[in-house]
Amino acid sequence: MRAHAFHAVVKEALLPSLRRQQRRTRRNHRINIAAANHTSQKMHSSPPDLEKLSELFPSSDAHYQSIPTPKTIENTDKIALKSMTREEMKNWLVSIDEKPSRVEQLIASMYRRRQGNEDVNDDATPSISYYCHDIKDMPSSISAKFRAKMRDLASFSGDLRLDSINVAKDGTHKVTYALADGGVVESVIIPPLPGEVEEDGKKRRTTVCVSSQLGCAMNCQFCFTAKMGLRKNLNANQIVQQVINAREIAGEDVTNVVFMGMGEPLHNTENVLKAVKIMTDPKGLNFSKNRVTVSTSGLIPGIERFLDESDCMLAVSLNATTNEIRNWIMPINRKYPLEDLLGVIRKRFSNSNNSSSNGSEHAAERRSRRQQRVFFEYIMLANVNDSFEDADRIVEISKTIPCKINLIYFNTHEGSEFTCSNQEHILAFRNYLLENGVLATIRKSRGDEEMAACGQLGKPEDRANWKPQPPRMKPPKSMSSSSSR
């Protein structure tokens, strides 16, 4: 039955993961006990031989001064309606001699759940809530002539084929999708932990972390996805479909969307802005604008356009407080250095009590309520960016930029030269920020044993659209002579 087809695919994708889970639980219990005994020593082990690393991984400044715009692969057979905003869909309807008011029927069909057991001649079969994935499944209340015309000209397809679902011990789902033209893209569904379900009588959020590209061009040295290089942009419908599928898989409505999966969202600005607008359409998926967050490594043109055209939340991956370190771990800093990046953010998010000109006050008035504060993400790397001098510089940044600091555990992966700061130090770092008036939190690591945690997505070994791994960056000379705390 069409109404149940997607659920059958989900069940089939889940079965291998559930079988593995029982075996993994017993094995991981033994491994985790052993790992816990030496974690603190490992987290504060001596830095790697940086001089040797410099020889093995020469840097290439020129590689980052001119990042090409990737090609976006499009299916030209039919119009992908999930890649259209409301206004674009209205204009298209007019161009094919249809009333623009038909847009409401299309949006409701694609983005509103239906109760469906209409194909089942059994009153005992419970009705399930599902999304319409095919134009032929549009409600029969819509004229047959219009439905026939849509079948000929357009598609509800998200151009994603569900490949697998892996479930971590904490309930995090890593979902992989095969692209029609090659490659596998990943997204992550993060439910609340059992003890977090209720807070002040309200349910905690369920978040889907979506990907915007296959691979990434930014080459952040701590990120596994970066090893893929950039292979292609995702279209708006492929981004939106990740959210729709997440709502089906999670069994309850996903409340939050974060663009923190594979890719740099603001290197695919056109499709990301479309997807954000589609997700927040009140008569469509109806996400609150303060529950959709777009994260960036610091592409200034993309930041400016996003803040001009969207009222959703912005997160910036800061991860270092000096150009020397940021040039190393986030090479995009060589094109958009810290002073330029913070300058743009300061102009857009300046503290009202630090505004000395009427122009700044007017700029603050123009900002939406959701853009009164920027989120800074900060991955804690032992002996790299976690000194209290770094904390002091964050305090200084916060004096002129209203912000919230999210401290993130570094999730290790094969071949990485970095280790995570230990938990005690991360707590001390967070407390130091709080004591100095900075709003700071620690983001819990979720799904790391399934390679579903922050910075772990992607398959560099995948031969589809393969590209050579981007160059590794030379560590700064000061690191070779620095000593551990």
Side-chain angles (χ1 to χ4, degrees):
M1 291 169 296
R2 292 192 298 270
H4 300 278
F6 183 79
H7 296 277
V9 173
V10 169
K11 182 177 180 181
E12 182 179 353
L14 275 169
L15 281 175
S17 176
L18 294 175
R19 292 193 185 104
R20 290 196 304 270
Q21 190 68 38
Q22 293 178 328
R23 297 193 298 270
R24 189 186 301 114
T25 299
R26 293 192 294 269
R27 184 180 70 249
N28 285 350
H29 179 68
R30 297 191 299 269
I31 295 173
N32 289 340
I33 291 175
N37 292 331
H38 70 272
T39 295
S40 59
Q41 291 94 342
K42 180 181 176 182
M43 292 302 187
H44 272 303
S45 60
S46 300
D49 187 341
L50 297 172
E51 290 185 358
K52 186 176 181 180
L53 285 174
S54 299
E55 296 173 0
L56 291 173
F57 305 119
S59 90
S60 176
D61 287 355
H63 179 79
Y64 294 95
Q65 293 303 318
S66 177
I67 298 176
T69 300
K71 293 182 179 179
T72 299
I73 306 299
E74 297 184 357
N75 183 347
T76 57
D77 294 336
K78 292 185 178 181
I79 295 294
L81 293 178
K82 284 178 181 171
S83 279
M84 286 187 177
T85 64
R86 172 181 290 272
E87 289 305 314
E88 289 174 333
M89 212 178 299
K90 281 183 179 180
N91 293 336
W92 176 73
L93 286 167
V94 171
S95 74
I96 61 170
D97 299 321
E98 290 289 345
K99 295 178 181 179
S101 58
R102 290 280 194 186
V103 72
E104 304 299 340
Q105 294 175 327
L106 292 173
I107 287 176
S109 296
M110 289 187 290
Y111 302 128
R112 288 300 194 184
R113 285 183 182 270
R114 295 174 60 195
Q115 292 300 121
N117 61 349
E118 55 198 43
D119 296 332
V120 182
N121 297 317
D122 181 2
D123 293 337
T125 302
S127 176
I128 62 171
S129 176
Y130 74 101
Y131 286 96
C132 182
H133 294 284
D134 196 310
I135 285 179
K136 63 186 177 183
D137 295 327
M138 290 174 70
S140 57
S141 57
I142 299 173
S143 76
K145 182 178 179 182
F146 180 70
R147 283 182 282 144
K149 188 173 184 178
M150 290 300 98
R151 284 197 298 272
D152 290 339
L153 299 178
S155 168
F156 281 0
S157 172
D159 290 335
L160 295 177
R161 181 178 60 80
L162 184 62
D163 181 57
S164 69
I165 303 174
N166 294 300
V167 185
K169 291 182 295 184
D170 63 6
T172 299
H173 291 55
K174 180 178 179 177
V175 187
T176 65
Y177 299 101
L179 304 180
D181 51 347
V184 175
V185 68
E186 303 176 0
S187 66
V188 181
I189 305 168
I190 310 169
L193 293 170
E196 297 179 331
V197 173
E198 296 294 333
E199 183 181 82
D200 298 329
K202 297 180 180 180
K203 284 188 175 181
R204 291 294 299 271
R205 64 190 178 190
T206 296
T207 300
V208 57
C209 177
V210 299
S211 294
S212 56
Q213 295 177 315
L214 178 62
C216 185
M218 300 301 106
N219 197 18
C220 296
Q221 301 294 280
F222 48 79
C223 182
F224 189 65
T225 309
K227 295 184 176 184
M228 295 179 66
L230 178 61
R231 303 191 181 184
K232 69 180 75 169
N233 275 339
L234 297 187
N235 293 314
N237 62 329
Q238 294 170 321
I239 299 170
V240 171
Q241 192 65 48
Q242 294 173 60
V243 176
I244 294 172
N245 288 356
R247 279 187 165 176
E248 300 239 57
I249 293 166
E252 60 180 276
D253 278 354
V254 172
T255 56
N256 290 57
V257 180
V258 294
F259 284 74
M260 299 179 184
M262 297 168 65
E264 161 56 59
L266 299 186
H267 195 200
N268 186 16
T269 312
E270 190 70 34
N271 287 303
V272 166
L273 284 171
K274 278 188 181 184
V276 165
K277 189 171 289 188
I278 292 167
M279 291 174 196
T280 56
D281 189 312
K283 294 186 178 181
L285 292 173
N286 193 30
F287 279 92
S288 169
K289 291 181 180 179
N290 63 354
R291 290 183 176 270
V292 177
T293 302
V294 173
S295 175
T296 178
S297 60
L299 274 69
I300 290 177
I303 290 173
E304 293 179 321
R305 183 177 174 189
F306 175 77
L307 293 176
D308 285 339
E309 298 183 24
S310 176
D311 288 336
C312 291
M313 309 293 285
L314 176 70
V316 176
S317 293
L318 184 62
N319 299 327
T321 59
T322 66
N323 280 325
E324 182 182 43
I325 296 299
R326 205 165 189 270
N327 283 348
W328 171 32
I329 65 174
M330 298 185 70
I332 192 61
N333 195 74
R334 300 167 186 235
K335 186 170 185 179
Y336 302 114
L338 264 176
E339 58 271 19
D340 294 345
L341 174 61
L342 295 177
V344 167
I345 296 172
R346 188 174 293 113
K347 180 180 177 181
R348 296 295 191 121
F349 293 89
S350 60
N351 276 317
S352 58
N353 58 356
N354 289 318
S355 297
S356 57
S357 66
N358 290 333
S360 297
E361 292 173 0
H362 292 323
E365 290 174 2
R366 288 195 300 270
R367 291 198 306 267
S368 77
R369 177 181 61 80
R370 289 165 289 277
Q371 293 179 347
Q372 297 295 320
R373 175 184 289 130
V374 65
F375 293 96
F376 282 128
E377 299 163 309
Y378 201 88
I379 293 179
M380 298 294 289
L381 303 174
N383 305 309
V384 174
N385 65 352
D386 63 346
S387 71
F388 285 97
E389 289 80 6
D390 288 304
D392 283 330
R393 286 188 282 266
I394 292 175
V395 171
E396 290 303 309
I397 290 171
S398 71
K399 290 179 180 178
T400 57
I401 300 175
C403 60
K404 179 179 180 180
I405 309 295
N406 287 327
L407 303 179
I408 303 172
Y409 288 93
F410 169 66
N411 299 296
T412 190
H413 48 80
E414 184 178 355
S416 174
E417 65 264 44
F418 301 104
T419 56
C420 182
S421 311
N422 70 29
Q423 188 170 3
E424 289 183 359
H425 183 74
I426 294 175
L427 286 170
F429 194 95
R430 190 276 309 271
N431 291 340
Y432 184 85
L433 295 178
L434 291 174
E435 290 165 3
N436 285 275
V438 180
L439 181 60
T441 60
I442 299 173
R443 184 192 298 173
K444 295 179 181 177
S445 182
R446 301 286 303 273
D448 56 321
E449 80 269 18
E450 286 289 349
M451 285 293 284
C454 180
Q456 291 184 324
L457 303 185
K459 293 184 177 180
E461 72 280 5
D462 189 355
R463 302 305 297 179
N465 304 290
W466 184 85
K467 289 187 177 180
Q469 183 175 328
R472 300 296 291 175
M473 297 293 102
K474 282 186 178 181
K477 293 180 180 179
S478 61
M479 291 296 296
S480 60
S481 59
S482 64
S483 58
S484 60
R485 283 181 302 272

